[in-house]
Amino acid sequence: MAKDFGAEADGGRAARRRQFAEAAREEKPDLALLCLLIGAEADPELDEKGMDEAQIELDRLAGLLPYAPTGGPGAWARNLAGLLGTRCGFGGSPADYRRLESSLLHQVLRRRRGLPILLSVVWLEVARRAGAPVYGVALPGHFVVGLGDPSGAHVLVDPFAGGRLLGEADAALLVRGTTGGELTAPMLTPADPREIVLRILNNIRAWAQARPEHSAVQLWALDLSLLLPSHPARLRHERAQLLVQRGEFLEGAEELEEYARVLDAVDPTTATTLRREAAAARAMLN
């Protein structure tokens, strides 16, 4: 009997998505694992062995990091910058924003290039493994890393710039340069791992949305986003619209109608609009 490789691939994807959903609901989510499961969606060659190798590389890098128990946040920051930024060459450039690989942890570990948030994930995972007091900081438009006590003595560093130390004025300039707004205290609070994962998936969606030939990438990024315990409700609408754009009119119409039922009690006007969209999608079948 011939082997059905398509069914086998679909089964593997379904298993990885179950693993992703379960990992996202853990009390303390494994950020590296969630990022690697995102990578497995993009790269069918990334199997369990490849994900284990990526985790081992993070362990190896952590083993190279000089321990700084008494030097405070500044010493941890200098040691991380020396190892990851200088010795290993992790960093980014504007060109990295044009590559999907820049949002995939296993590729960032291999290429040592990536978006600010993925480079920050490398720093977070290496520093955490080495015992450093580390946390992510989701500045609008540019993710960075904090070391120390978020409500006390701490420093901010920019992994995209090889670990450059950021003063408050530097952080404010980053925010102003990407959004035109001002830095506020809530922006400096530690980011939850699930928040980090959703932001990575948002980046992937935005990358694919600008490249219609990669609508399949946008679709799986939406699918994973919807598996997170907390996600914007509008993603369901975006997924339904994407299905219609891809020519999957019936499935898209069904999702629009299902979302309309959810909104009936809280936003009947939008629910009516969604049903009109569903009717238009069904009409395209004729």
Side-chain angles (χ1 to χ4, degrees), residues 68-78 80 123-124 127-128 131-137 144-157 165-166 188-191:
T70 59
W76 281 113
R78 287 190 296 274
L80 280 160
W123 278 59
L124 288 167
R128 179 183 64 79
V134 65
Y135 56 96
V137 180
V144 298
V145 167
L147 289 151
D149 180 356
S151 58
H154 67 275
V155 297
L156 297 179
V157 293
L165 279 171
L166 299 174
L188 298 173
T189 57

Side-chain angles (χ1 to χ4, degrees), residues 183-250:
L183 178 69
T184 62
M187 294 177 186
L188 298 173
T189 57
D192 179 84
R194 284 171 283 255
E195 178 188 349
I196 296 172
V197 170
L198 180 60
R199 184 156 163 170
I200 290 169
L201 290 167
N202 287 344
N203 288 340
I204 292 172
R205 284 173 41 238
W207 178 89
Q209 205 164 28
R211 298 164 176 82
E213 69 275 17
H214 291 294
S215 64
V217 172
Q218 185 182 353
L219 184 58
W220 65 248
L222 280 165
D223 288 340
L224 292 185
S225 299
L226 291 167
L227 290 175
L228 294 170
S230 178
H231 55 262
R234 60 178 169 74
L235 295 185
R236 296 183 63 177
H237 190 194
E238 182 180 329
R239 187 181 193 278
Q241 289 178 316
L242 179 61
L243 289 172
V244 173
Q245 291 166 16
R246 285 167 54 85
E248 300 173 45
F249 303 121
L250 183 58

Side-chain angles (χ1 to χ4, degrees), residues 5 9 33 37 43 59 74 79 93 112 130-131 145 151 175 179 193 200 204 235 256 259 266 278-279:
F5 290 103
L33 173 61
L37 288 167
D43 182 358
D59 290 340
N79 289 348
S93 70
R112 305 198 172 184
V145 167
S151 58
V175 172
T179 70
I200 290 169
I204 292 172
L235 295 185
L256 286 165
Y259 189 33
V266 293

